[in-house]
Amino acid sequence: MTTRILFVCLGNICRSPAAEAIVRARSDGMALALDSAGTGDWHVGQPPYAPMQEAAAARGYDLGDLRARTLTPEDFDRFDLIIAMDRENLRDIERLRHGATTPVKLFTDYTKGPETAVPDPYFTRDFEAALDLIESCAEGLLASLRRAD
Ligand code: 4NP
């Protein structure tokens, strides 16, 4: 059965589209349906932020076809798992829950490191650090999904 996973950040132009593309690129053969969304609506319809696209492309990930959208309450019904990039995202996601039992997790729950958030590179300007951590979380998530199979 296909596992449907939604990655969520604030703007949906840096962290969550990168997470979506990186998990997709590394999920070889797994039955996953992946998407991303933002809790904010500033960038709806826009492709990922150019500096993030460039940093991701240098690692072999193509973010070019992705477009930003906002998280909706219906996403709780459309996905099996929702993954937040930081605690603020987690709070904003939980505000839209309407009795749904869909689990919402922090992406950093899947890395062995001490991090409790993927720092927002739109503000830190450190796209490499964000991608390093997203790759590590992606591997941990994929390992947990393979174990659950
Ligand atoms: P993201 O980064 O949440 O990783 O997509 C952001 C990008 C833009 C804004 C906030 C966060 N913004 O406020 O425009």
Side-chain angles (χ1 to χ4, degrees):
M1 233 183 58
T2 300
T3 305
R4 303 163 301 172
I5 304 173
L6 181 66
F7 299 94
V8 177
C9 62
L10 180 57
N12 194 209
I13 56 167
C14 289
R15 293 166 294 171
S16 62
E20 175 189 350
I22 288 170
V23 170
R24 180 173 292 123
R26 291 169 172 240
S27 66
D28 51 354
M30 297 172 71
L32 300 180
L34 307 173
D35 194 8
S36 65
T39 57
D41 63 2
W42 308 281
H43 300 285
V44 168
Q46 293 177 12
Y49 189 47
M52 176 52 102
Q53 282 203 55
E54 284 159 24
R59 299 184 186 212
Y61 308 112
D62 183 1
L63 275 50
D65 288 340
L66 303 177
R67 294 293 178 271
R69 71 170 181 91
T70 44
L71 180 72
T72 70
E74 291 74 34
D75 284 319
F76 279 92
D77 308 315
R78 292 200 200 105
F79 292 91
D80 303 304
L81 173 63
I82 299 177
I83 295 183
M85 297 298 130
D86 60 35
R87 288 185 194 285
E88 183 191 6
N89 302 152
L90 198 72
R91 260 197 322 274
D92 292 340
I93 295 166
E94 287 294 350
R95 283 203 191 99
L96 295 184
R97 188 192 285 282
H98 50 280
T101 56
T102 314
V104 181
K105 304 253 194 202
L106 279 172
F107 204 20
T108 49
D109 289 348
Y110 297 97
T111 182
K112 291 194 184 79
E115 298 88 353
T116 56
V118 179
D120 192 339
Y122 192 77
F123 300 110
T124 68
R125 311 310 296 174
D126 195 342
F127 294 90
E128 298 305 327
L131 287 170
D132 285 343
L133 184 54
I134 290 168
E135 285 179 331
S136 168
C137 298
E139 279 308 319
L141 169 64
L142 288 164
S144 88
L145 293 168
R146 290 190 187 101
R147 277 196 300 275
D149 246 4

